């Protein structure tokens, strides 16, 4: 069997990449259908909000179930959880195809979220198990690229199918079932996730809990901002008389295209040159600029360009969040770490429409995008402040050490 430079078989790496792409598929696939879906259920009270939840509701069950999934992964192993989650993913995703009420569709989406929680948590833990630190940086940049490309593919396919009927994109979820044989053949259960009898709890504590909480906050904010794109851009475009599902898919996918480029070609260089905090500062600044520009966009070309700019920041931030989290996680708690990280990511996705929709109803899209730009800039400024404090502390320690040695 051919091996990559990471030391694991190439088939195993490809399988992990395909599994990771299921995360973006859970929401991106149906985004182009939202305007038609809302129109079909226009007689349902609050259909404008409920239709947006078709994209984001899985995030609620993901956020709630991911910590439990992490505990199961650490306690009973990654692969059993992963295989069960894949079966549930395919069946629950397909279930929405046969529902004739928003309540039925939303119920199936909640089940899909349970499946994504199990899939994402177990896959993230496996990445921590299979790769060393340097190998992980390379793999995670490839994974983010693959997810971004998957987003483009699934959005495009979803747009084409939505042109036929708004229900058609739900059939795509059956693809998850095709990955079950690949998991059985190409992945293996790492020995270190077996029950730990000789663990030292003191050594397995998170190095810096406050830093990890800050990382969770960054993941949540990124998702909060990103979810504005698939949930609000279709309706923003409709306001300027663009309702074609294909054009909607193209606009949303522009962030994924740029995200793929950034993850593959920029992230590792940015990490090596800017450091951990530097990447956060740069990514949040770019994302803030994109929303600030988007607030004044007046045509499709500008909207596509500014969404692509967001993808540049997102493409460096996402692999950075995962890499930083896995570096700080003890071996026996990688499932737990992955679970809480998953919760942070999808909590942001779920609450996004509840925050943005009332604001948009009262203040409009431009105000919502401008407000998000300010929030993202605040995050960049906070990271910059922490960086300055850290530099001053290091300088002070070096200066004190120099005095103590007689220099």
């Amino acid at each position: 069997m051919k091996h990559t430079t990471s030391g694991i078989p190439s088939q195993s790496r490809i399988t992990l990449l395909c599994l990771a792409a299921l995360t973006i598929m859970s929401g991106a696939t149906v985004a182009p259908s939202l305007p038609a879906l809302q129109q079909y259920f226009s007689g349902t009270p609050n259909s404008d909000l409920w239709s947006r939840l078709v994209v984001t509701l899985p995030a609620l069950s993901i956020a709630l179930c991911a910590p439990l999934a992490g505990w199961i992964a650490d306690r009973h192993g990654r692969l059993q959880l992963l295989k069960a989650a894949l079966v549930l993913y395919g069946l629950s995703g397909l279930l929405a195809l046969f529902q004739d009420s928003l309540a039925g569709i939303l119920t199936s989406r909640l089940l899909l979220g349970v499946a994504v929680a199990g899939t994402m948590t177990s896959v993230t833990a496996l990445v921590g198990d299979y790769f060393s630190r340097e190998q992980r940086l390379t793999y995670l940049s490839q994974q983010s690229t693959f997810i971004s490309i998957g987003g483009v593919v699934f959005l495009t396919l979803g747009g084409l199918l939505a042109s036929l009927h708004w229900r058609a994109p739900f059939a795509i979820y059956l693809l998850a079932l095709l990955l079950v044989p690949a998991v059985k053949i190409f992945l293996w259960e790492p020995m270190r996730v077996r029950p730990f009898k000789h663990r030292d709890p003191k050594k397995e504590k998170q190095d810096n809990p406050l830093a990890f909480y800050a990382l969770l906050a960054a993941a949540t904010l990124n998702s909060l901002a990103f979810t504005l794109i698939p949930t609000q851009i279709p309706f923003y475009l409709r306001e300027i008389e663009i309702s074609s599902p294909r054009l909607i898919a193209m606009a949303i996918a522009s962030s994924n295209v740029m995200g793929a480029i950034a993850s593959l070609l920029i992230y590792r260089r940015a990490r090596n040159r800017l450091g951990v905090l530097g990447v956060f500062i740069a990514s949040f600044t770019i994302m803030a600029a994109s929303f600030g520009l988007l607030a004044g966009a007046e045509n499709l070309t500008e909207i596509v360009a500014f969404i692509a700019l967001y993808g540049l920041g997102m493409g460096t931030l996402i692999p950075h969040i995962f890499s930083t989290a896995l570096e700080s996680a003890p071996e026996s708690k990688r499932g737990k770490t992955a679970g809480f990280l998953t919760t942070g990511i999808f909590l942001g996705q779920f609450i996004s429409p509840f925050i943005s929709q009332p604001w948009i109803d009262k203040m409009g899209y431009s105000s919502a995008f401008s407000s998000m730009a300010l929030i993202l800039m605040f995050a960049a400024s906070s990271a910059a402040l922490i960086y300055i404090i850290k530099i001053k502390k290091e300088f002070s320690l070096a200066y004190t050490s120099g005095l103590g040695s007689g220099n």
Side-chain angles (χ1 to χ4, degrees):
M1 184 177 290
K2 182 180 177 180
H3 283 63
T4 66
T5 57
S6 67
I8 72 167
S10 56
Q11 296 93 328
S12 302
R13 177 183 286 253
I14 293 171
T15 300
L16 287 173
L17 291 172
C18 290
L19 290 166
L22 294 180
T23 303
I24 192 70
M25 189 174 88
S26 64
T29 302
V30 298
S33 293
L34 290 188
L37 184 149
Q38 181 191 4
Q39 185 176 5
Y40 183 84
F41 292 109
S42 58
T44 303
N46 299 315
S47 63
D48 55 344
L49 176 60
W50 296 122
S51 61
R52 287 162 171 81
L53 287 179
V54 170
V55 171
T56 62
L57 191 59
L60 174 62
S61 47
I62 295 171
L64 293 175
C65 296
L68 176 60
W71 180 84
I72 293 172
D74 285 336
R75 187 79 175 179
H76 302 288
R78 324 304 199 201
L79 293 191
Q80 294 290 57
L81 172 64
L82 179 56
K83 287 181 281 189
L86 285 175
V87 173
L88 180 60
Y89 190 110
L91 297 181
S92 60
L94 185 64
L95 182 62
L97 185 64
F98 304 103
Q99 302 302 310
D100 201 36
S101 69
L102 264 176
I105 291 175
L106 292 174
T107 299
S108 70
R109 301 295 286 175
L110 281 171
L111 292 174
L112 178 67
V114 176
V116 174
T119 302
M120 185 172 179
T121 299
S122 53
V123 169
T124 302
L126 285 172
V127 170
D129 294 331
Y130 289 171
F131 299 98
S132 66
R133 180 188 177 278
E134 287 301 316
Q135 294 165 353
R136 195 181 300 133
L137 284 175
T138 300
Y139 171 81
L140 287 173
S141 65
Q142 294 172 347
Q143 176 178 284
S144 293
T145 300
F146 200 83
I147 289 174
S148 297
I149 294 173
V152 176
V153 172
F154 294 131
L155 277 167
T156 303
L157 185 56
L160 292 173
L161 291 174
S163 299
L164 302 176
H165 196 283
W166 65 263
R167 292 183 184 275
F170 289 106
I172 298 175
Y173 293 107
L174 274 177
L175 291 174
L177 299 179
L178 300 179
L179 290 174
V180 176
V183 169
K184 291 182 177 180
I185 297 171
F186 300 123
L187 301 185
W188 66 94
E189 192 72 59
M191 290 301 295
R192 56 176 169 268
V193 303
R194 304 294 182 187
F196 290 84
K197 296 181 180 180
H198 305 290
R199 294 186 307 218
D200 183 351
K202 293 182 179 180
K203 292 182 179 180
E204 295 187 345
K205 288 182 179 180
Q206 213 79 37
D207 289 338
N208 190 340
L210 289 178
F212 184 68
Y213 296 146
L215 190 65
L216 290 180
T220 302
L221 177 57
N222 174 62
S223 295
L224 186 70
F226 171 74
T227 306
L228 284 174
I229 295 174
T231 59
Q232 301 298 349
I233 289 300
F235 301 96
Y236 188 38
L237 289 171
R238 191 170 65 179
E239 281 199 349
I240 60 174
E241 299 182 351
I242 296 174
S243 57
S244 166
R246 297 181 194 178
L247 293 178
I248 292 172
M250 179 188 72
I252 298 173
S254 63
S255 67
N256 298 96
V257 173
M258 187 57 71
I261 295 172
S263 297
L264 186 63
L265 302 179
I266 298 176
Y267 170 59
R268 286 204 67 183
R269 295 177 182 176
R271 171 65 186 266
N272 291 334
R273 293 184 180 182
L274 301 179
V276 173
L277 286 171
V279 174
F280 283 115
I281 296 168
S283 297
F284 278 124
T285 300
I286 292 170
M287 291 154 62
S290 70
F291 271 105
L293 293 168
L294 192 59
E298 297 179 349
N299 55 61
L300 179 63
T301 301
E302 290 180 351
I303 291 172
V304 170
F306 299 149
I307 291 176
L309 179 62
Y310 180 87
L312 178 62
M314 180 189 68
T316 54
L317 184 63
I318 290 179
H320 190 54
I321 288 173
F322 279 97
S323 175
T324 306
L326 289 174
E327 283 177 22
S328 66
E331 289 184 0
S332 64
K333 293 186 178 180
R334 283 184 180 137
K336 181 179 179 180
T337 299
F340 278 104
L341 185 61
T342 301
T343 293
I345 291 170
F346 286 96
L347 181 63
Q349 289 190 17
F350 175 69
I351 65 177
S352 182
F354 287 102
I355 296 174
S356 64
Q357 192 56 45
W359 189 280
I360 288 170
D361 289 341
K362 290 184 179 181
M363 306 296 292
Y365 287 99
S366 293
S367 176
F369 295 152
S370 296
S371 298
M372 180 52 68
L374 290 175
I375 294 171
L376 291 167
M377 201 63 232
F378 175 78
S381 300
S382 298
L385 179 61
I386 295 172
Y387 180 76
I388 292 171
I389 293 173
K390 181 181 178 182
I391 292 296
K392 286 186 175 181
K393 184 177 180 181
E394 291 176 353
F395 177 80
S396 177
L397 289 173
Y399 180 74
T400 304
S401 176
L403 290 177
S405 63
N407 296 328

